[in-house]
Amino acid sequence: MTSRLIGRQAVVIGAGMAGLPAARVLADYFEHVTVLERDSLPQDTCHRSGTPQSKHVHGLLGGGQRALGNLFPAFEEDLVTAGAVQLRVGLDLRTEMPGYDPFPQRDLGWVSYSMSRPLIELVVRQRVAQYTNIALYPHCRVQRIEATPRGTAVAAVRFERSDGKNERLPADLVIDASGRGALALGLLASIGQPQPPKTIIEVDIGYATAIFAIPDDMSAGWKGVRTFAQAPQYSRGGLMLPLEGNCWMLTLGGRHADKPPGDGEGFLAYAQQLRTPTIYNAIKKAARVSDVARFGFPASAWRHFEQIEPFPRGLLPIGDTIYRFNPVYGQGMSVAAQEAVLLHQLLRTQVEEPDPLAGLASTFFASASALIETPWVVAAVPDFSYPQTKGHRPPDFERTREFGAALTRLAARDPDVHKLMVEVQALVKPRSLLRDPDLVARVRAEMTTA
Ligand SMILES: Cc1cc2nc3c(=O)[nH]c(=O)nc-3n(C[C@H](O)[C@H](O)[C@H](O)COP(=O)(O)OP(=O)(O)OC[C@H]3O[C@@H](n4cnc5c(N)ncnc54)[C@H](O)[C@@H]3O)c2cc1C
């Protein structure tokens, strides 16, 4: 604990992958941090109904892994102890994309971890539970956030317990990490503020996922496989990652009229028609140990809370409440963890201010926008390569797409470029490094050759 406190009571709504890391950060600056979660909070890795997406592959990118390690020292050891599988980045995940089946497999020098979403959430929850000033309350559904009478600041949250009892909890700071944003938006509406504008990219993706036991005689030279689609003609792709308990989780995805079905036979037939046979060959004789779960994802969305001025003092939306990234690129949990690290950095300076909560949200939004921009652009460019994708196509879209394709060709030949490209995609390094003049000159030369 730091010696200076910002307030007595902070409330975090939602014990998901944004709420839990944020609660840990607030524990350094508030006497009490209360996390209100509508679901149960299991002691094991079973799924929760509040996070239906957790039945699908959830990759933790390097940037998110480092952010969680920053907040919870030795976090990676906890993951391994809980059963996560280590993957040498660049080597253990076979990546298949048009023109490269597979993309050159090289050890890029760091290790990532593969596990189910419930496992990673459980490990984070256990670390958060060690803080004596954080209380995790399951079965508490927040109904609304209340403002002060003048409507300039947050006053309290109203919530309902599982026995139907309603309670009011006064708070100095309320973090809306409920994922959908209805609560933060409701507060803004209640004080007469407009709703934040939204940037939307309509991708219309369908996911289907099943878990398979890894056959005993499996020896393939990879631990997981990613098969990219043949955009724009064909949107069918797959990602199969190892999980705790010697299993693979396979998520198949397609867009518009080519979404995967939810029955076992249809799932296998869909996998058989992926662009390459690698995934199908691996699973065709493996035992399926789960039902097939489906998920529809209509659109990526980014709510521009930064445009609401003045923003109510003591309200902070984070995680999916601000953005919903196309899940294909596996970014949401990692950006949420990076936002928590950002909040930690900001509170360290805000605590010196006479009123640390004044202006916290606007400072946070300014830096969070910079964090969100890289994953947003990384996803938007391939998404817009499908002509059916609806939304505001960036004006330099064609040029950016050609640059990306040339960078990929260069990366296939040059291990240093490969490493940098993956580090940017994994949110470990900023996208600005791809604008290094020497690199840009090489990529432009490659574009000319093509
Ligand atoms: C199909 C799919 C696959 C994905 N794959 C990946 C991936 O590979 N890698 C990755 O990083 N991200 C992935 N994501 C994104 C990731 O799931 C989210 O970005 C991440 O969960 C965001 O965390 P969050 O805490 O903001 O929201 P959530 O994790 O959704 O948590 C919100 C929490 O708030 C609770 N809650 C909601 N309303 C209330 C209320 N009124 N009162 C109390 N509690 C409430 C919910 O029960 C829930 O626990 C995927 C998403 C989808 C849809």
Side-chain angles (χ1 to χ4, degrees):
M1 292 269 293
T2 52
S3 53
R4 297 205 47 193
L5 291 176
I6 285 178
R8 215 184 74 72
Q9 175 74 61
V11 172
V12 177
I13 307 169
M17 287 307 297
L20 291 170
R24 178 264 167 267
V25 166
L26 299 183
D28 285 350
Y29 294 98
F30 288 80
E31 248 174 82
H32 306 287
V33 180
T34 303
V35 183
L36 300 172
E37 167 58 51
R38 66 183 175 185
D39 258 354
S40 60
L41 292 173
Q43 301 297 314
D44 57 18
T45 56
C46 65
H47 293 278
R48 301 191 287 114
S49 60
T51 52
Q53 73 269 36
S54 70
K55 289 189 173 168
H56 302 271
V57 163
H58 263 68
L60 182 62
L61 299 178
Q65 184 181 315
R66 287 179 195 196
L68 289 168
N70 173 309
L71 297 172
F72 306 106
F75 179 73
E76 296 171 4
E77 287 161 33
D78 286 3
L79 287 180
V80 172
T81 306
V85 180
Q86 297 193 33
L87 298 179
R88 284 164 302 164
V89 174
L91 196 62
D92 288 336
L93 178 66
R94 178 182 164 100
T95 302
E96 302 178 334
M97 57 175 76
Y100 301 98
D101 288 321
F103 199 78
Q105 278 171 265
R106 321 181 162 105
D107 192 338
L108 297 179
W110 94 85
V111 170
S112 69
Y113 299 86
S114 188
M115 60 256 135
S116 67
R117 152 80 188 240
L119 183 141
I120 178 172
E121 202 176 279
L122 177 67
V123 169
V124 175
R125 200 159 62 234
Q126 285 171 339
R127 292 297 296 264
V128 167
Q130 289 169 7
Y131 284 78
T132 50
N133 60 336
I134 302 181
L136 290 168
Y137 289 130
H139 304 296
C140 291
R141 178 186 291 272
V142 176
Q143 294 154 319
R144 64 178 184 278
I145 307 170
E146 289 182 352
T148 52
R150 291 176 59 201
T152 52
V154 154
V157 295
R158 289 257 177 206
F159 65 98
E160 184 184 22
R161 293 185 178 274
S162 57
D163 58 9
K165 267 198 191 148
N166 283 298
E167 287 197 25
R168 181 177 187 273
L169 179 59
D172 303 300
L173 175 68
V174 175
I175 290 203
D176 182 355
S178 65
R180 290 304 169 102
L183 295 160
L185 298 178
L187 176 78
L188 291 175
S190 75
I191 59 171
Q193 284 280 32
Q195 299 290 288
K198 228 175 168 184
T199 306
I200 288 186
I201 304 179
E202 288 179 48
V203 289
D204 186 20
I205 287 185
Y207 259 35
T209 296
I211 299 176
F212 295 87
I214 300 179
D216 292 339
D217 57 355
M218 185 67 202
S219 78
W222 46 257
K223 290 184 182 173
V225 185
R226 171 154 219 186
T227 304
F228 281 93
Q230 178 86 48
Q233 304 87 348
Y234 191 64
S235 67
R236 200 172 280 205
L239 174 59
M240 185 161 82
L241 289 180
L243 292 188
E244 61 273 15
N246 202 33
C247 290
W248 285 315
M249 182 180 262
L250 169 59
T251 289
L252 300 171
R255 301 178 189 230
H256 313 295
D258 196 22
K259 300 188 181 101
D263 63 292
E265 248 176 64
F267 185 87
L268 266 187
Y270 190 95
Q272 196 171 12
Q273 287 161 24
L274 286 169
R275 211 176 38 74
T276 73
T278 316
I279 287 181
Y280 177 73
N281 286 342
I283 59 161
K284 67 183 176 193
K285 293 204 184 107
R288 180 161 58 83
V289 294
S290 75
D291 289 338
V292 178
R294 295 180 86 207
F295 199 99
F297 186 88
S300 306
W302 182 355
R303 282 197 184 98
H304 298 284
F305 284 103
E306 73 279 5
Q307 293 184 25
I308 306 294
E309 284 283 352
F311 201 79
R313 178 183 182 280
L315 173 67
L316 200 63
I318 59 164
D320 275 17
T321 298
I322 302 184
Y323 53 73
R324 298 204 87 205
F325 298 114
N326 179 347
V328 166
Y329 311 100
Q331 301 160 324
M333 296 190 300
S334 291
V335 177
Q338 290 182 325
E339 281 182 332
V341 171
L342 168 68
L343 180 63
H344 213 191
Q345 288 161 354
L346 291 181
L347 290 178
R348 243 175 251 140
T349 44
Q350 289 290 122
V351 74
E352 304 299 335
E353 298 291 325
D355 181 358
L357 290 179
L360 173 66
S362 50
T363 317
F364 175 80
F365 293 145
S367 305
S369 294
L371 264 186
I372 295 167
E373 204 232 339
T374 292
W376 186 264
V377 174
V378 163
V381 172
D383 281 344
F384 277 117
S385 62
Y386 293 92
Q388 304 96 319
T389 302
K390 291 188 198 142
H392 177 66
R393 201 171 286 255
D396 56 350
F397 165 72
E398 270 309 325
R399 190 84 183 145
T400 312
R401 197 179 59 79
E402 283 164 18
F403 186 92
L407 180 74
T408 304
R409 292 196 295 277
L410 208 55
R413 298 198 298 271
D414 182 331
D416 290 336
V417 178
H418 185 183
K419 185 165 191 288
L420 178 64
M421 185 179 80
V422 170
E423 285 169 337
V424 171
Q425 286 166 349
L427 311 179
V428 170
K429 290 202 169 155
R431 207 165 67 95
S432 56
L433 291 183
L434 299 181
R435 288 183 219 121
D436 168 75
D438 289 344
L439 179 61
V440 169
R442 290 180 65 198
V443 176
R444 291 227 168 104
E446 182 68 32
M447 286 161 81
T448 318
T449 315

